[in-house]
Amino acid sequence: MNVLITGGCGFIGSNLVHHLRARRPDWTLVTLDKLTYAGNLENLAALEGDPKHIFVRGNICNRELIEHVVGLYRIEGILHLAAESHVDRSILGPEVFVQTNVLGTQVLLEVCKAIGVRRFVMVSTDEVYGSLGPTGAFTESSPLQPSSPYSASKAAADLVTLAYGRTFGLDVVVTRCSNNYGRYQFPEKLIPLMIVNALHDKPLPVYGDGGNVRDWLHVEDHCEALLGVLERGRSGEVYNIGGGAERKNLELVRGLLKLLGKSEELIRFVADRPGHDRRYAIDPSKIRKELGWKPAHTFEQGLAETVRWYVDHPTWWEHVNSGAYREYFDSQYRARLGASPG
Ligand code: NAD
Ligand code: TDX
């Protein structure tokens, strides 16, 4: 099978490329990525010289390019992960989120329609469902109530995808997963940011009271689920993918400090994220029942391995600890600290 992975130099995308290479060695994999601040070609360095892996630098909004790539490599399946993915950035500047996440997805769907790609998998997020109270979990039929410009753009892309299935008969599937963790995650997201800051004895900014809950999914488990959906998911369906590991942010940050042997005095409570969803939890019964998928990693073991990976690979992330990135993180931190009620 010839598969196009959009966003294949990002966190989940690059883990997915490696996962597919190991699980389906006879497939031809084409990675298409714009290489924004979040994309890193180094993540795929191990595939250099692999005749069955092709890298194309490009923007999913460029229809001519996408048409050329899909035609040239006779693409049969698309795993669509390219996106602007950080909620805080979507609050600072929503425009590019609509451009890439909504319009870019529609360009890909148009090309699938024009050229006849066999299957399109839209990788979405549980954030499209909004926020939960203290109990319950999102199912595939939970209403869409996105809170941030990021999650609204993902919800829009999901709906456009499903509409192309219904209206034009395209074979589309949408997946909605919970928070991923693992190697290659850009250190603006909670887990890697806290690790990098703690390693430099910098403050760890916890938003609000730290009581927000996320349901953590190991990126390898997510990749295995995506392979199952690509091969066996039912057309026109939505599949929720969750790790079954709900943790309060503060509890998680304390756990990270313990693993790193650092003091809890590094924790700083800062102003909350506007529109901050209180709790996410996924009911993964559908994908379990239909595709036999379940997570293979426990959170404790997966987190310890992730911490070890960041400790062992400072060259992968140290560029974010200086220059423009560090200035951005520090200015965000100062702004939140200044706005904090406590
Ligand atoms: P990421 O930010 O690490 O990677 C995104 C990749 O997309 C980067 O390599 C970037 O260069 C590329 N990209 C951005 N704009 C592009 C464009 N216009 N054209 C081509 N490439 C472009 O994101 P991630 O965390 O790996 O997330 C991957 C996907 O999974 C996203 O669609 C995201 O919404 C979704 N998702 C992520 C999580 C999570 O916990 N990280 C959870 C649920 C869903
Ligand atoms: O410095 C921080 N302090 C803090 O308390 C950061 C960066 C985050 N947080 C909190 C906010 C959230 O409650 O930690 C939680 C996780 O935050 P993020 O890592 O920014 O992830 P989240 O907003 O939950 O979104 C992630 O999961 C769903 C991904 O970034 C999305 O792409 C995905 O769709």
Side-chain angles (χ1 to χ4, degrees), residues 252-266:
L252 169 52
V253 171
R254 285 189 172 133
L256 286 171
L257 288 168
K258 200 162 173 209
L259 285 167
L260 289 162
K262 295 283 183 176
S263 162
E264 287 190 15
E265 284 175 16
L266 289 174

Side-chain angles (χ1 to χ4, degrees), residues 10-12 33-34 36 39 59-60 81 85 124 150 154 177 180:
F11 162 46
I12 302 173
D33 201 294
K34 186 178 162 188
T36 67
N59 189 337
I60 55 166
L81 293 95
S85 68
S124 186
Y150 161 71
K154 295 296 287 189
C177 67
N180 284 222

